[in-house]
Amino acid sequence: MAQNLQQLKKRIKTSDSIAQIAKAMEMIAASKIRKAQNCVEKHNPYARKIKYIVQRILTDKDLYEEIEKFSKERKGKRLIYIISPDKGLCGGLVVNLFKKVSFYVQSDDYVVAIGKKSTNDATRYNYNVLASFGMGTSFPKYDDIYPIIDIANKLYISGEVTKVSVIYTEFKNMLMQEPAIEEILPVKPDKSFKENKMDYIFEPDPQQVLEDLLPYYFEVEFYSAFMNAYASEQAARMTAMKNAKDNANDIAASLTNIYNKSRQEKITNEILDLANGQQEV
């Protein structure tokens, strides 16, 4: 009985320690998600406006051949970016993301892996990995994406790939994050613009405006996916750590009840033994 009580005390102490660690990780993730939400909210108006202008020009204007390649569907190889966390402990986020990856990525596609989890997955399934980058634990800076998207710029402009896509986890809200596929290049014109055609005066001209905007369009689309992936990771980790904390506290409470009952039973048995001994005397 004494040995069992000692084991129960150790298990209670272990459960309390796990609850404290999970709580600390939950609070860290919560602080990071607040910063991520603020950055996403500030970035979205800029991203939406650039996307709107690019799609409007592509819908309304006839383009020169060298600009048309950014919007015309072609057959050929694809370049796919996979954005995942560097670390685990974020619930089913990684598993759900890789289900989407296995469904979409084909053996002849070029892959750029961002995050250790995607790098390990791409290596395990023998994808054609061109490069790999770390996701990091801090909020991604805009400058961080330049060496990553430079690969897509070179391969797409040279014609070696005909489509550029990003697979990431989209941040819906604190409780919902869904894997998503964003096809960035070629740019898909919004068909709804054709129904409400309007004439604009462009300076210097639509082609020049589009040429200047396309690099920014690709940057903001990719950076949006990057920010969504980071925010989703922190939200999923916060939820997972909250559940782990609650489960550890429940286990500690249950073990404490068992410990108290066992200890009370031991004390009662000792009193009975004393009483029986006195009666015999």
Side-chain angles (χ1 to χ4, degrees):
M1 180 64 73
Q3 185 178 3
N4 290 338
L5 289 176
Q6 287 293 94
Q7 289 177 350
L8 283 171
K9 286 182 72 173
K10 288 181 180 179
R11 292 178 65 187
I12 292 169
K13 187 176 180 181
T14 301
S15 298
D16 288 336
S17 298
I18 291 173
Q20 290 176 0
I21 294 170
K23 183 180 179 181
M25 295 182 70
E26 178 193 359
M27 294 176 67
I28 292 171
S31 65
K32 288 183 177 181
I33 192 65
R34 282 194 290 271
K35 179 181 178 182
Q37 278 185 301
N38 290 334
C39 292
V40 169
E41 288 171 0
K42 292 177 181 178
H43 174 80
N44 281 342
Y46 173 71
R48 282 196 295 266
K49 197 64 177 178
I50 286 185
K51 187 173 183 178
Y52 172 85
I53 295 172
V54 169
Q55 290 183 333
R56 170 65 78 177
I57 296 174
L58 288 173
T59 304
D60 286 354
K61 299 295 180 181
D62 295 327
L63 304 176
Y64 295 129
E65 186 176 347
E66 72 179 75
I67 301 299
E68 197 175 50
K69 67 184 176 184
F70 288 99
S71 61
K72 189 175 181 180
E73 291 281 350
R74 295 173 293 162
K75 292 183 179 181
K77 284 193 174 184
R78 302 182 300 177
L79 174 63
I80 301 171
Y81 288 90
I82 305 172
I83 306 178
S84 75
D86 277 342
K87 300 179 180 179
L89 300 177
C90 46
L93 182 144
V94 175
V95 174
N96 293 331
L97 177 68
F98 291 154
K99 285 181 181 178
K100 199 81 168 179
V101 170
S102 62
F103 171 78
Y104 185 75
V105 179
Q106 300 175 0
S107 58
D108 60 339
D109 292 331
Y110 291 131
V111 170
V112 175
I114 303 170
K116 292 181 181 178
K117 295 294 182 180
S118 63
T119 302
N120 295 338
D121 185 71
T123 304
R124 182 166 59 250
Y125 290 101
N126 294 320
Y127 291 143
N128 190 8
V129 180
L130 294 181
S132 61
F133 299 86
M135 181 66 182
T137 56
S138 58
F139 190 80
K141 297 178 181 178
Y142 202 89
D143 292 343
D144 295 340
I145 69 171
Y146 289 123
I148 301 174
I149 65 175
D150 189 53
I151 299 171
N153 287 330
K154 291 178 179 178
L155 294 179
Y156 192 85
I157 292 173
S158 67
E160 192 170 346
V161 299
T162 58
K163 181 176 288 187
V164 178
S165 303
V166 181
I167 304 177
Y168 65 102
T169 306
E170 184 179 3
F171 178 80
K172 298 285 188 181
N173 53 53
M174 296 298 291
L175 298 176
M176 182 182 293
Q177 305 85 38
E178 295 181 353
I181 299 173
E182 184 78 22
E183 295 182 354
I184 300 180
L185 292 173
V187 181
K188 292 184 178 179
D190 193 329
K191 295 180 181 179
S192 64
F193 292 151
K194 292 184 178 180
E195 300 174 1
N196 300 311
K197 272 201 169 186
M198 297 178 65
D199 289 329
Y200 295 92
I201 297 174
F202 289 92
E203 291 293 342
D205 57 69
Q207 286 74 23
Q208 186 62 50
V209 172
L210 191 59
E211 281 183 349
D212 293 340
L213 275 180
L214 278 171
Y216 295 105
Y217 171 84
F218 183 52
E219 288 172 13
V220 298
E221 285 289 286
F222 187 83
Y223 191 57
S224 295
F226 217 96
M227 288 193 299
N228 269 273
Y230 179 83
S232 296
E233 176 189 350
Q234 302 308 323
R237 182 168 290 116
M238 186 182 73
T239 302
M241 291 301 100
K242 182 181 183 303
N243 293 336
K245 178 193 69 177
D246 293 342
N247 290 337
N249 285 330
D250 290 342
I251 292 171
S254 176
L255 291 173
T256 301
N257 287 334
I258 296 172
Y259 174 82
N260 291 336
K261 288 179 181 179
S262 299
R263 187 168 176 270
Q264 187 63 46
E265 182 182 350
K266 179 185 176 184
I267 294 171
T268 303
N269 290 335
E270 289 176 352
I271 293 173
L272 289 173
D273 290 340
L274 287 173
N276 291 333
Q278 288 177 356
Q279 288 177 1
E280 291 175 0
V281 171

